[in-house]
Amino acid sequence: MWTNFCKPWFFCCLLAALTIVLLVLNVNQLEHLDHESVLATVIDSSGQDTSPQASGISRKSYCGYEHQTLSKRERLEENSLLAFFQSHEPHTDLVPFVKSTDPSSSYFVILNSGTFFKVGSQLEILVQVQDFQGRPKKYGGDYLQARIHSPKLQAGAVGRVVDYQNGFYKVFFTLLWPGKVTVSIVLVHPSEAIQVLQHLQEVRPDRVYFKSLFRSGRISETTICNVCLPGNLPVCNFTDLYTGEPWFCFQPKKLPCSSRINHYKGGYLKGLLTATESAFFQSDVNIKMPIRSSGPDWVTVIPLGVKEANDPEPSQSMENFPSGYYYKNQWRPRKFKMHQFNEPDNITECLQGKMIYLFGDSTIRQWFDYLITFVPDLVEFNLGSPKNVGPYLAVDLKHNILLQYRCHGPPIRFTTVLSNELHYVANELNRIVGGRSTVVAIAIWSHFSTFPLEVYIRRLRNIRRAVVRLLDRSPKTVVVIRTANVQELGPEVSLFNSDWFSFQLDTILRKMFSGVGVYLVDAWEMTLAHYLPHKLHPDVVIVKNQIDMFLSFVCPAKT
């Protein structure tokens, strides 16, 4: 009898003990629960989105940028930037594919073809877009890119496109060199595709997802991270204390938030488009396709005065667009005379006694790679950093040169970045003393293409504050910003890194840093105007021209 009584008593005690243990574990998790709540997304191994939104269930999104506290001036600036792109929004109703823009049936004509052209003349082009039924479109919103070029002269320049919102576009070129000049107009995306891209930008900022590894002893866990996390699961709040830049990871089930080891790109979501929407993103159909000319697509330009036809000089009285042009494969800015740093000794002489800090994405890491490859005296110091991630350091002890590269803070789509190497550019700038011997170059754009524009505006606002403080305490510091550039596009890449996204970021960057006292290397025009195929990481001839322009700011011509 006593034995029969003990058995249920024993099981009751065991059950109570297990309950207490589970309660302690739950309390421990609650201690790490951030006061912010987010919405959960579930991503399977294939990258397919299985979140409630993908199933058509409505949800309330969360994003750190939605909780910014802005001054009146900052709010006005942000509203102005956003309004600029709202005025360029395409037709609101999604139409069938056959009624979308067909580049093969669209055409352009040279309006002033009978004009006598000299170097400095204006060339006007009229573009009419038509659909796949051969009918003229009655609304705008298509994204066009335009350039003039002379292949034999290795010359090229970009044009300015004006959308009249009725299916007609005008393109304006400034003719900057003599000879036969050919016009090229390309449809990057039809307006129907732009509408889809804008929708993705606003409601699917999680279409590129990131991960972090958490480890303590033998226990390790991996969770998804982002600026915007959907769901109601516990999160780790890694918002930067100094800049307020938001970053969150789903909290590990067994480990504390402090056990985060690294950050890396998780992947790209699939199944983002419907069949109807996918038709607007077809290679060799409507992505970066040329628009034909109805009539001649070229003009002849004669040189000015007695200047040699093979060595034209730009007129300073002309409008400051474009910012420059290629001639004999060399970039020629229109505002100043750019040097050619064709020998390693030229670069060494310019950088002697200087500390050069390169901050940003892989497009400015190309500058580091170019310099240590081209200048033998710049010897890379092995920091044991992951390949293509950094940080990197190179020194020339003989000439007292220090060259450093560091990637910007998240979001960044690199393979693996250690947590303690996730540095925000603004914080790095605040640590620099500055002065005549200090040079800073920044490129930050590509990894922000999937987010609402407010995320990028916030990041640039923080960097701009730090730049202003740096120039205030050390006015002789040289600060250079490399702009965005065009790249190759396909159906999938367009959803994440379209030139349309990059164009928006590039426009915002130029507006926000106007009048700040920094120099711009116009990588956008330097890649769009060149004859080589578009690449995220431009070929070495283009990088060489970027470096020449950068060094011309560091070591300007003595007058």
Side-chain angles (χ1 to χ4, degrees):
M1 179 178 177
W2 177 256
T3 303
N4 294 335
F5 175 79
C6 287
K7 286 182 179 179
W9 180 85
F10 172 78
F11 285 117
C12 288
C13 290
L14 181 61
L15 183 60
L18 289 174
T19 302
I20 293 173
V21 171
L22 290 174
L23 181 62
V24 170
L25 290 175
N26 285 335
V27 169
N28 185 56
Q29 285 194 355
L30 286 172
E31 288 177 351
H32 297 286
L33 181 61
D34 194 287
H35 66 281
E36 309 276 11
S37 64
V38 292
L39 298 170
T41 241
V42 181
I43 303 171
D44 64 22
S45 58
S46 68
Q48 191 74 21
D49 181 10
T50 58
S51 64
Q53 184 183 21
S55 304
I57 301 173
S58 63
R59 69 178 191 179
K60 179 182 178 183
S61 62
Y62 169 84
C63 259
Y65 67 84
E66 295 175 350
H67 301 283
Q68 296 183 66
T69 301
L70 303 179
S71 67
K72 182 178 180 181
R73 184 174 183 177
E74 290 171 341
R75 177 64 66 187
L76 288 173
E77 178 187 47
E78 183 171 297
N79 290 341
S80 174
L81 292 169
L82 297 177
F84 176 82
F85 294 107
Q86 288 171 358
S87 64
H88 291 72
E89 288 185 354
H91 191 63
T92 54
D93 297 327
L94 198 61
V95 301
F97 171 74
V98 294
K99 293 187 177 181
S100 65
T101 304
D102 176 15
S104 64
S105 65
S106 303
Y107 63 91
F108 72 86
V109 294
I110 299 175
L111 289 180
N112 51 345
S113 58
T115 306
F116 185 68
F117 294 107
K118 290 185 177 181
V119 171
S121 298
Q122 294 292 308
L123 182 64
E124 295 184 17
I125 308 297
L126 182 67
V127 182
Q128 182 172 28
V129 295
Q130 300 186 144
D131 62 24
F132 284 88
Q133 296 175 323
R135 298 172 180 173
K137 292 183 67 176
K138 302 300 182 182
Y139 55 90
D142 301 286
Y143 180 40
L144 308 178
Q145 290 175 349
R147 61 186 285 260
I148 49 174
H149 54 102
S150 298
K152 290 184 179 180
L153 299 175
Q154 294 180 312
V158 304
R160 186 192 301 278
V161 180
V162 177
D163 184 354
Y164 287 93
Q165 299 295 325
N166 59 1
F168 286 94
Y169 301 80
K170 264 193 178 181
V171 185
F172 299 90
F173 295 101
T174 300
L175 300 170
L176 296 166
W177 63 88
K180 181 181 178 180
V181 177
T182 303
V183 176
S184 173
I185 309 293
V186 171
L187 174 74
V188 181
H189 293 300
S191 58
E192 295 76 18
I194 296 298
Q195 182 179 346
V196 175
L197 294 179
Q198 287 184 328
H199 179 72
L200 289 176
Q201 188 178 45
E202 293 165 3
V203 304
R204 297 314 309 262
D206 57 346
R207 61 191 184 277
V208 175
Y209 59 97
F210 305 87
K211 291 184 176 181
S212 275
L213 173 66
F214 296 77
R215 179 185 295 153
S216 179
R218 296 183 178 181
I219 303 175
S220 62
E221 295 182 62
T222 299
T223 71
I224 291 174
C225 309
N226 218 319
V227 173
C228 308
L229 282 178
N232 53 7
L233 298 178
V235 297
C236 295
N237 186 350
F238 295 114
T239 298
D240 184 67
L241 297 177
Y242 299 98
T243 63
E245 291 289 350
W247 192 254
F248 303 93
C249 296
F250 285 126
Q251 182 183 317
K253 295 179 180 179
K254 300 178 181 179
L255 297 175
C257 296
S258 57
S259 62
R260 182 174 65 150
I261 300 298
N262 62 25
H263 162 95
Y264 61 96
K265 179 185 68 178
Y268 300 87
L269 293 186
K270 302 181 186 301
L272 292 168
L273 303 183
T274 65
T276 299
E277 293 170 335
S278 296
F280 302 133
F281 298 91
Q282 300 184 61
S283 296
D284 300 324
V285 176
N286 51 17
I287 297 178
K288 284 205 171 181
M289 293 297 294
I291 293 177
R292 64 182 175 84
S293 170
S294 177
D297 63 352
W298 58 274
V299 296
T300 300
V301 183
I302 66 171
L304 285 171
V306 295
K307 294 291 294 182
E308 291 294 330
N310 64 352
D311 190 24
E313 288 292 338
S315 170
Q316 297 300 321
S317 62
M318 292 184 287
E319 180 195 358
N320 191 38
F321 182 88
S323 67
Y325 63 101
Y326 282 106
Y327 193 80
K328 295 182 178 179
N329 235 1
Q330 294 179 354
W331 183 252
R332 298 192 174 191
R334 297 175 64 199
K335 277 189 174 181
F336 67 101
K337 180 78 172 178
M338 188 177 86
H339 307 311
Q340 299 298 319
F341 294 81
N342 296 326
E343 302 296 332
D345 289 345
N346 302 147
I347 297 179
T348 299
E349 182 182 357
C350 174
L351 297 181
Q352 183 166 358
K354 289 182 169 57
M355 297 178 289
I356 304 96
Y357 300 94
L358 307 179
F359 298 117
D361 54 38
S362 57
T363 61
I364 204 167
R365 189 185 67 218
Q366 281 190 287
W367 291 13
F368 182 94
D369 295 337
Y370 176 90
L371 289 170
I372 64 171
T373 302
F374 188 69
V375 183
D377 289 340
L378 266 176
V379 180
E380 184 176 3
F381 188 83
N382 186 3
L383 298 176
S385 302
K387 184 179 179 181
N388 297 331
V389 174
Y392 296 143
L393 179 68
V395 295
D396 178 351
L397 296 177
K398 180 180 178 181
H399 301 98
N400 195 26
I401 301 173
L402 181 145
L403 175 66
Q404 175 183 314
Y405 163 77
R406 179 177 288 280
C407 67
H408 63 73
I412 190 159
R413 304 174 201 161
F414 284 179
T415 49
T416 301
V417 185
L418 297 177
S419 297
N420 59 357
E421 296 294 351
L422 292 171
H423 295 200
Y424 289 93
V425 174
N427 292 339
E428 292 298 301
L429 294 175
N430 288 333
R431 298 186 183 104
I432 295 175
V433 176
R436 191 183 300 273
S437 62
T438 302
V439 179
V440 174
I442 303 168
I444 181 167
W445 59 277
S446 180
H447 301 258
F448 289 80
S449 59
T450 56
F451 295 97
L453 296 177
E454 293 91 337
V455 176
Y456 188 61
I457 293 172
R458 173 202 277 269
R459 183 62 56 91
L460 291 191
R461 188 185 297 120
N462 282 319
I463 293 174
R464 184 176 62 185
R465 288 194 193 111
V467 167
V468 169
R469 286 193 292 264
L470 173 59
L471 294 177
D472 187 51
R473 65 178 176 267
S474 303
K476 298 296 183 181
T477 306
V478 175
V479 179
V480 180
I481 295 181
R482 180 201 187 278
T483 71
N485 59 259
V486 295
Q487 58 188 291
E488 69 277 17
L489 294 179
E492 186 173 7
V493 174
S494 295
L495 306 183
F496 306 98
N497 268 57
S498 168
D499 282 356
W500 169 246
F501 295 138
S502 302
F503 168 72
Q504 291 178 307
L505 302 181
D506 186 70
T507 302
I508 289 173
L509 183 144
R510 293 169 190 266
K511 289 179 177 291
M512 291 189 67
F513 278 92
S514 176
V516 173
V518 301
Y519 300 97
L520 286 184
V521 171
D522 199 335
W524 186 269
E525 289 194 18
M526 295 172 84
T527 50
L528 182 55
H530 205 272
Y531 58 82
L532 285 173
H534 299 167
K535 293 182 180 180
L536 173 61
H537 301 109
D539 286 344
V540 65
V541 63
I542 299 177
V543 176
K544 195 268 184 189
N545 277 287
Q546 293 174 359
I547 291 291
D548 285 348
M549 191 168 184
F550 164 64
L551 295 175
S552 296
F553 293 136
V554 178
C555 305
K558 296 179 180 179
T559 57

